[in-house]
Amino acid sequence: SLTDKFQTIFKKIKNKGKLNENDIKNCLHEIRIALLEADVNYKVVKEFIDSLHDKIQQEKISESLSPTQQIIKIVNGEITLTLGCKQNDLSISPAPPTIIMLVGLQGTGKTTTAVKLANYFRKKGHLPLLIATDIYRPAAIEQLQVLGEKSNLPVFSMGKNESAVNIVKAAIKYSSKKNNDVLIIDTAGRLHIDDKLMNELQEINENIPLQEKLLIVDAMAGQDAVNSAKVFCDKIKVSGIILTKLDGDTRGGVALSLKKVLGVPIKFIGIGEKVDNFEPFHPERMASRILG
Amino acid sequence: LFSNSKDKIDFLEKLEELLILSDLGTSATAEIMNEFQQINFREYKENNFIFFKEKLKVILIDILNSTAPDIKINENRLNIIMLVGVNGSGKTSIAGKIAYRLKNINNDIIMVPADTFRAAAIQQLKILACKVGAEMINTKEGADPASVVYDGISAARARKKNIVIIDTAGRLHTKTNLMNELEKIKRVIQKEANDCSLEILQTIDATMGQNAIAQAEFFNKSLGVTGIALTKMDGTAKGGIVIAIKKELDIPVKLISCGEKLNNLYDFKAEKFVEALLD
Ligand SMILES: Nc1nc2c(ncn2[C@@H]2O[C@H](COP(=O)(O)OP(=O)(O)OP(=O)(O)O)[C@@H](O)[C@H]2O)c(=O)[nH]1
Ligand SMILES: Nc1nc2c(ncn2[C@@H]2O[C@H](COP(=O)(O)OP(=O)(O)OP(=O)(O)O)[C@@H](O)[C@H]2O)c(=O)[nH]1
Ligand SMILES: [Mg+2]
Ligand SMILES: [Mg+2]
């Protein structure tokens, strides 16, 4: 572990005072490897290590902490700071309904998360309505309907023959009669390089008053995650990220990459397939997980 | 990378960046970098480092090459192909694609929907089975997956089908009880069809990072993975994690899924894969 690697480096440090340049280089080398192994993006790691170098250089060896504890505390602090954000809850529209759209690459957990979100809003006293706009994937609409039924959450669908934006417009009309105040749109998984499907999202974004546009990201994602996320952000101005499948043992470095490069707040995490496997995002916990 | 490097240090740095960004991971990258440290750079700088692209290709192809056979259908016995892997990695889709490809050679396919857990998983496979024109075992959500597999094997024998394609539920490799469920399915297969040709394919999503190594390790330890199906290669991720997996666990890649249509399935060719990675 990183702690063991540092212990080896610091065994040789006898003097109190500032760490010498060579010690710092050794520490940074180990931190760099740890972050890359955690799937933090290569370019993000580079910048991060450079800024860490200055922080560590200014640090005086403390009397109460071992050098290892001190360095880990600095790194952990820096990651936590980068991951944190003031606005990490979902905003409610002043004029209902609040409309939330979930987007992302294929298989990241959008449909599952849509139901979790609806459940979350219901627990807070709202009347959510799920909207099925995945008109492509076999049995996608059925999947949302079965999940909705299991949790007693209503699902609006119009089959596969209407366009996504028309389904949403119809859902809005329907919801006003039923007093649904939160509408959650589940969209089809798509590649950021699929122009036709990216334009479908843009069309929804331009015609529907969306309160939140949430990018659903698989926590096991590797180096390319920032590239795809950036395209989603540029296309529809994503307002938040939900990281899924954190119930596994992935270090989840993608969180640091996305927050650093895009600045979009990570609002929630998925920690399982059940509807209440859903939690707010905790920067400090994520930081320790990434460092490993 | 290869024509813009001005000296050895610059080249090595760009090489490391390329390999890491392709998801090879730090240790596979370090080992490959080591091979390059040994070379005398001066004589190749004149050729704009093109020589190094070829050397890198050879190194990577060498890692990926395998004597493991492609997926072959043995006409004289029951052929069972089981798809396993973490949630959302493309198992059900590729089960349909494999059926679609094999339908052209041989009409005797039976699809087994052993994902009796996830919402509408059976319906999803049913739609693919219908598109392909392959039969599918009838079952309901909540049925015991091992029983569904048992039914699949009995049905194949009764209906004279010699290809059984089993779709399983997605599961994280860290969930011991779910991994045990897969081991139980394998025991059923070994008991009911111990003379069959068994292919256990693990789907790996090309967008995945280092955690895919742990996934391969655990699935392999539980079941013995005979091949990897690398999915979603039509995106911008390079899928280089399979190089790290081959290096560490010697599990070969057999299939590449390159899109969401039934015919977007290709046999893995190391040379093509490496060319695309270095592009
Ligand atoms: N373990 C675990 N599995 C999850 C989590 N979230 C979703 N899943 C599973 O991941 C798989 C994919 O989830 P979906 O909700 O179908 O993903 P999607 O993004 O809607 O997929 P597409 O619509 O095809 O793009 C399913 O097996 C889910 O049960 C999570 O937090 N943890
Ligand atoms: N672009 C692209 N999408 C793919 C590919 N393979 C699968 N998908 C998509 O990825 C999503 C998940 O595919 P599934 O086949 O449902 O994955 P799965 O592993 O069976 O998922 P679970 O059963 O929920 O664990 C779907 O939207 C598929 O259309 C591929 O090669 N390229
Ligand atoms: Mg979906
Ligand atoms: Mg499936």
Side-chain angles (χ1 to χ4, degrees), chain B residues 179-237:
Chain B
M179 296 305 284
N180 290 341
E181 178 184 90
L182 279 182
E183 292 173 18
K184 180 169 176 219
I185 291 179
K186 185 176 182 186
R187 284 198 295 277
V188 167
I189 296 174
Q190 287 171 325
K191 181 157 182 288
E192 299 307 316
N194 65 357
D195 57 338
C196 76
S197 136
L198 178 59
E199 191 84 53
I200 298 183
L201 299 176
Q202 179 183 353
T203 48
I204 300 252
D205 183 331
T207 65
M208 295 288 105
Q210 300 308 298
N211 192 251
I213 302 177
Q215 294 169 24
E217 187 189 340
F218 279 61
F219 278 94
N220 192 40
K221 203 182 280 162
S222 271
L223 304 170
V225 172
T226 61
I228 286 174
L230 184 59
T231 64
K232 308 181 195 172
M233 279 295 284
D234 46 322
T236 51

Side-chain angles (χ1 to χ4, degrees), chain A residues 39 150 220 222 224 247 249, chain B residues 141 173 175 207 210-211 236:
Chain A
D39 289 318
K150 282 207 176 112
M220 309 182 260
D224 195 58
D247 45 321
D249 60 355
Chain B
E141 193 183 302
H173 53 291
K175 312 258 163 115
T207 65
Q210 300 308 298
N211 192 251
T236 51

Side-chain angles (χ1 to χ4, degrees), chain B residues 122-147:
Chain B
I122 298 166
Q123 291 92 310
Q124 183 186 4
L125 190 67
K126 182 73 186 157
I127 292 172
L128 295 176
C130 287
K131 276 205 179 132
V132 168
E135 293 186 28
M136 189 176 95
I137 293 295
N138 267 325
T139 188
K140 292 207 191 72
E141 193 183 302
D144 168 42
S147 317

Side-chain angles (χ1 to χ4, degrees), chain A residues 32 37 39 42-43 46 106 137-138 150 191-193 220 222-224 245 247-250 273, chain B residues 13 16-17 20-21 23 87 118 124 141 173 175 207-211 215 232 234 236-237 260:
Chain A
R32 179 171 182 274
E37 285 177 341
D39 289 318
Y42 184 84
K43 300 181 180 124
K46 214 171 193 180
Q106 289 91 345
R137 171 177 152 151
K150 282 207 176 112
L191 292 180
H192 52 298
I193 52 174
M220 309 182 260
Q223 296 285 318
D224 195 58
K245 307 179 201 171
D247 45 321
D249 60 355
T250 185
E273 299 186 76
Chain B
E13 195 174 298
E16 183 192 55
E17 178 171 353
I20 297 280
L21 285 178
D23 284 317
N87 308 71
R118 206 210 68 208
Q124 183 186 4
E141 193 183 302
H173 53 291
K175 312 258 163 115
T207 65
M208 295 288 105
Q210 300 308 298
N211 192 251
Q215 294 169 24
K232 308 181 195 172
D234 46 322
T236 51
E260 297 182 86

Side-chain angles (χ1 to χ4, degrees), chain B residues 46-225:
Chain B
E46 277 78 67
N47 294 321
N48 274 337
F49 293 94
I50 294 299
F51 160 79
F52 292 120
K53 182 172 184 185
E54 290 311 307
K55 172 144 181 75
L56 183 59
K57 268 178 74 179
V58 167
I59 293 175
L60 296 179
I61 291 173
D62 194 53
I63 296 172
L64 289 168
N65 269 337
S66 167
T67 51
D70 280 338
I71 301 183
K72 293 254 156 24
I73 296 301
N74 187 325
E75 293 298 335
N76 304 319
R77 48 169 67 173
L78 189 59
N79 296 270
I80 300 184
I81 300 170
M82 179 159 87
L83 281 314
V84 301
V86 301
N87 308 71
S89 53
K91 298 172 292 299
T92 306
S93 303
I94 211 170
K97 291 172 183 173
I98 293 173
Y100 178 79
R101 166 196 280 204
L102 294 179
K103 194 86 192 347
N104 293 333
I105 332 171
N106 157 339
N107 209 342
D108 307 328
I109 302 173
I110 198 155
M111 310 287 287
V112 178
D115 180 355
T116 54
F117 167 75
R118 206 210 68 208
I122 298 166
Q123 291 92 310
Q124 183 186 4
L125 190 67
K126 182 73 186 157
I127 292 172
L128 295 176
C130 287
K131 276 205 179 132
V132 168
E135 293 186 28
M136 189 176 95
I137 293 295
N138 267 325
T139 188
K140 292 207 191 72
E141 193 183 302
D144 168 42
S147 317
V148 182
V149 171
Y150 178 91
D151 291 344
I153 296 173
S154 319
R157 295 233 161 86
R159 304 180 208 176
K160 301 268 187 298
K161 307 283 187 193
N162 73 338
I163 300 175
V164 175
I165 300 176
I166 304 172
D167 180 26
T168 65
R171 68 205 67 215
L172 296 182
H173 53 291
T174 47
K175 312 258 163 115
T176 318
N177 57 328
L178 297 182
M179 296 305 284
N180 290 341
E181 178 184 90
L182 279 182
E183 292 173 18
K184 180 169 176 219
I185 291 179
K186 185 176 182 186
R187 284 198 295 277
V188 167
I189 296 174
Q190 287 171 325
K191 181 157 182 288
E192 299 307 316
N194 65 357
D195 57 338
C196 76
S197 136
L198 178 59
E199 191 84 53
I200 298 183
L201 299 176
Q202 179 183 353
T203 48
I204 300 252
D205 183 331
T207 65
M208 295 288 105
Q210 300 308 298
N211 192 251
I213 302 177
Q215 294 169 24
E217 187 189 340
F218 279 61
F219 278 94
N220 192 40
K221 203 182 280 162
S222 271
L223 304 170
V225 172

Side-chain angles (χ1 to χ4, degrees), chain B residues 260-271:
Chain B
E260 297 182 86
K261 298 206 187 74
L262 281 171
N263 59 3
N264 295 147
L265 181 70
Y266 305 94
D267 283 327
F268 177 74
K269 291 280 179 278
E271 181 138 2

